[in-house]
Amino acid sequence: MSTLRERNFRRLKQSIAGEKSDGHAVFNFYTFPFFQAVTGVNLDDYFHKPEVTLKCQIEALEKLDGIGNPLPDMGSVAEASGLGGIVKFDDHGFISVHPNPDIADADDIDDLDWLEPGDPYGDNYMRQALETLQYMVDNCPKGYTVNPHPVMGPFTVGANLRGISDFCADTIAEPDLVNKILDVVVETQIRFMHAQEEILGSLHHILVADDLSAFLSEPAYREFILPRYQQMFKEFPDTQRWLHNDSTARHIAPAIADSGMVAWQYLPSINPHDALELTKGKVTLLGGLNPLDLQKWTADETYDKCIEVLKSFEGNNRCVLAAGGSINQVPIENLKAMFKAADDYKIK
């Protein structure tokens, strides 16, 4: 008999492929705050010692019946740190990236003549991610597959380097400057993805985290975002594109449907029926649950609420049960209740 891990993976694969399935899959985007909440790991060790990263993640995943895979996890800083973004840690050890002053202070494109793509093996967190990836590949326990480090959306990286409000305003006032930054960011990401591909042997999929692109209008999204996704993945035609954008993105949902993404983790304020209609059935939709609700429910309440959401999918397995955002403070028992509900609920 197949395990719950195997059944969930099969259903997720069938959903992405647009194939019929006997049930709905569950998807969770596990990141460093979740792993710390579960294991109490010291985050300085987590970010800088690959053996700690792997041990911590496997410890947490084992509590979830092994449903999930380990991956390098430098938060959102990897590519931006290779382009002069300032990496900082808060009082809790959480990692973040802040603008490169030389990019933030540029008045126009001529002030960025010096800007060149970053080196994935330079003194930055892309290199740390690659070292962690190599360690995981060499030491991953049997039964798990190592996933690649997610990439940030090019616009999100550019906004982090320039300053979010200024970069959004630049799309109107200084579009040439925006395109210059995006060109350099995309080339950096292509190099980062090739380096990961070399370690893994192939890139089955890449998760693109791109919340900040939702600050644009749909026409601007089509002008600045969609061409960059195509540019990023041109050299990776066999790599599936998964999108995490749980910002207020209803207005760009039709454009996301045209982005080449095979899956989209979306904000819980969009109900599944609307998400399906807006994306015309082109994309597997990961959502339906609010992580803030998941934090406060009991396991029994979680199970019952999940069944309600699964019923709302109306048998369409292009809908995958997921929280529309961070699950950092969601109890393990509630996450297990999600998996049990999806496994119990059969598509007729």
Side-chain angles (χ1 to χ4, degrees):
M1 174 180 283
S2 62
T3 65
L4 180 55
R5 171 186 165 87
E6 291 167 340
R7 292 194 297 276
N8 190 71
F9 177 77
R10 170 178 57 78
R11 290 165 181 155
L12 185 58
K13 184 177 179 181
Q14 290 170 328
S15 178
I16 296 293
E19 300 171 354
K20 294 294 184 181
S21 182
D22 61 342
H24 294 280
V26 175
F27 173 83
N28 288 317
F29 184 14
Y30 305 115
T31 55
F32 69 87
F34 170 76
F35 291 118
Q36 186 195 44
V38 173
T39 68
V41 67
N42 177 283
L43 285 177
D44 187 59
D45 290 341
Y46 178 88
F47 292 124
H48 301 108
K49 297 179 179 179
E51 66 275 16
V52 173
T53 316
L54 179 59
K55 180 180 178 182
C56 165
Q57 291 188 8
I58 296 300
E59 179 184 337
L61 293 173
E62 286 292 296
K63 296 178 185 293
L64 293 169
D65 300 315
I67 306 177
N69 285 312
L71 75 168
D73 178 17
M74 302 297 123
S76 62
V77 314
E79 302 100 309
S81 71
L83 291 166
I86 307 301
V87 176
K88 296 183 179 181
F89 298 86
D90 68 13
D91 293 340
H92 302 287
F94 283 27
I95 194 170
S96 61
V97 67
H98 300 261
N100 175 339
D102 292 330
I103 296 177
D105 293 341
D107 291 326
D108 55 43
I109 189 173
D110 292 335
D111 291 337
L112 295 177
D113 286 344
W114 56 271
L115 185 60
E116 296 182 350
D119 177 6
Y121 284 101
D123 184 15
N124 57 62
Y125 279 88
M126 287 187 288
R127 186 192 68 189
Q128 185 65 49
L130 295 172
E131 291 176 354
T132 300
L133 182 64
Q134 186 66 66
Y135 179 88
M136 288 182 164
V137 168
D138 292 341
N139 296 278
C140 184
K142 185 178 180 181
Y144 289 97
T145 299
V146 179
N147 284 342
H149 193 288
V151 298
M152 296 296 104
F155 191 87
T156 291
V157 177
N160 284 330
L161 291 168
R162 172 75 166 161
I164 296 171
S165 60
D166 285 344
F167 202 53
C168 290
D170 288 338
T171 61
I172 299 172
E174 294 286 346
D176 289 344
L177 181 147
V178 171
N179 283 315
K180 166 67 176 180
I181 293 173
L182 291 178
D183 280 339
V184 172
V185 168
V186 169
E187 179 56 34
T188 300
Q189 294 180 309
I190 290 171
R191 295 178 183 186
F192 185 37
M193 291 164 67
H194 273 306
Q196 295 199 72
E197 182 181 45
E198 185 174 345
I199 293 171
L200 290 168
S202 64
L203 285 180
H204 173 267
H205 72 281
I206 282 283
L207 179 65
V208 180
D210 201 14
D211 293 352
L212 298 184
S213 64
F215 289 175
L216 300 181
S217 67
E218 183 184 350
Y221 190 93
R222 291 184 180 277
E223 178 181 353
F224 290 102
I225 308 303
L226 296 193
R228 301 305 173 173
Y229 291 160
Q230 302 307 320
Q231 185 180 351
M232 282 174 66
F233 285 94
K234 184 177 180 180
E235 296 183 34
F236 306 92
D238 299 322
T239 299
Q240 292 181 359
R241 318 173 193 182
W242 295 40
L243 178 66
H244 168 87
N245 186 333
D246 61 351
S247 187
T248 305
R250 176 187 290 269
H251 64 293
I252 58 170
I256 289 173
D258 296 333
S259 68
M261 297 292 173
V262 299
W264 172 30
Q265 186 178 22
Y266 61 95
L267 189 73
S269 63
I270 307 176
N271 72 53
H273 182 271
D274 288 349
L276 278 169
E277 188 172 289
L278 288 165
T279 55
K280 303 174 186 176
K282 295 180 179 180
V283 183
T284 286
L285 296 164
L286 317 171
L289 291 168
N290 189 319
L292 298 179
D293 292 333
L294 282 169
Q295 290 177 21
K296 65 186 181 183
W297 289 334
T298 66
D300 287 342
E301 288 173 331
T302 299
Y303 181 92
D304 292 341
K305 295 292 185 179
C306 287
I307 293 295
E308 290 180 14
V309 173
L310 291 163
K311 288 180 179 178
S312 77
F313 292 164
E314 299 179 344
N316 189 333
N317 73 302
R318 294 304 296 271
C319 295
V320 170
L321 188 65
S326 167
I327 57 163
N328 300 341
Q329 304 301 321
V330 176
I332 287 288
E333 293 75 13
N334 290 8
L335 296 176
K336 294 183 74 170
M338 286 176 61
F339 289 115
K340 178 170 172 48
D343 197 45
D344 289 347
Y345 186 84
K346 304 303 180 188
I347 297 176
K348 299 178 182 179

